[in-house]
Amino acid sequence: PQDGKAIKAVQTGGPSGGCIPAALFDLPVDYDSLAHAGSMMGSGGMIVMDEGTCMVDVAKYFVHFLQQESCGKCLPCREGLKRMGETLDGITAGKGNGKSLSLLEDLAHVVADTSLCGLGKTAPNPVLSALKYFRPEFEDHIHRKKCPAGVCTSLIHHVIAEENCVGCGACKKICPTKAIAGEKKQSHRIISELCSQCGSCKDICKVNAVWVN
């Protein structure tokens, strides 16, 4: 763990690799084992993610990255990755619905099965592995309109617990949108209309008075 946060997942093989949960960390690092888990050897690189990482946001990031890398020659990769990115954008913005996950899975399988080159055939790995191992996170975004990791700004709301706030003013000084009000040594509050949900106040608070709803 780093900064009190436990490791959540590791992505192997580069942008087209899958996200492997901590429960599978004893998995041998070889071609067959990683492929069976929904990932790949790829470039041989690894990205370690802690519990403060939103797996829906991770899947979205890699889909958009791979969409930009696509040559655009074949329809499945060109349009499939675009639609997958749009679907993930909607989920992280709180606009997902009961059909979003089935659409995402169908698109991912079509892209993987019918794309002409290796990029298109492996591009859905981050999404399919995230859905396989972290599906409850996707469901929280869609049905509860919550981002458990507190990453997707459209789905989070920062508040200051007045009973915990000591009025040190640290959050007020660092807030980029001047969204925190309160006098020194008195409880502060967040003006929701001005708050950008950047999380700076939560990061700097030494008494854990800032919560995410």
Side-chain angles (χ1 to χ4, degrees), residues 57-71:
D57 182 66
V58 167
K60 180 179 75 171
Y61 169 81
F62 284 115
V63 165
H64 283 302
F65 175 84
L66 292 162
Q67 179 188 348
Q68 293 176 345
E69 293 295 303
S70 172
C71 71

Side-chain angles (χ1 to χ4, degrees), residues 84-155:
M84 288 173 67
E86 291 171 350
T87 303
L88 287 163
D89 286 341
I91 293 173
T92 56
K95 299 177 182 178
N97 57 47
K99 298 180 180 179
S100 296
L101 294 190
S102 58
L103 172 62
L104 194 57
E105 286 179 309
D106 288 345
L107 286 167
H109 287 299
V110 169
V111 173
D113 293 341
T114 61
S115 292
L116 293 178
C117 78
L119 185 144
K121 291 183 180 300
T122 59
N125 281 343
V127 173
L128 290 173
S129 60
L131 284 169
K132 180 179 180 179
Y133 299 117
F134 303 97
R135 196 179 193 89
E137 275 193 54
F138 286 81
E139 294 172 343
D140 280 338
H141 282 68
I142 293 171
H143 303 301
R144 296 180 58 238
K145 306 301 179 186
K146 295 286 186 181
C147 175
V151 171
C152 301
T153 56
S154 297
L155 301 178

Side-chain angles (χ1 to χ4, degrees), residues 167-184:
C168 69
C171 59
K172 189 175 181 179
K173 290 178 182 177
I174 202 173
C175 180
T177 59
K178 309 298 181 185
I180 298 178
E183 300 298 323
K184 194 172 181 64

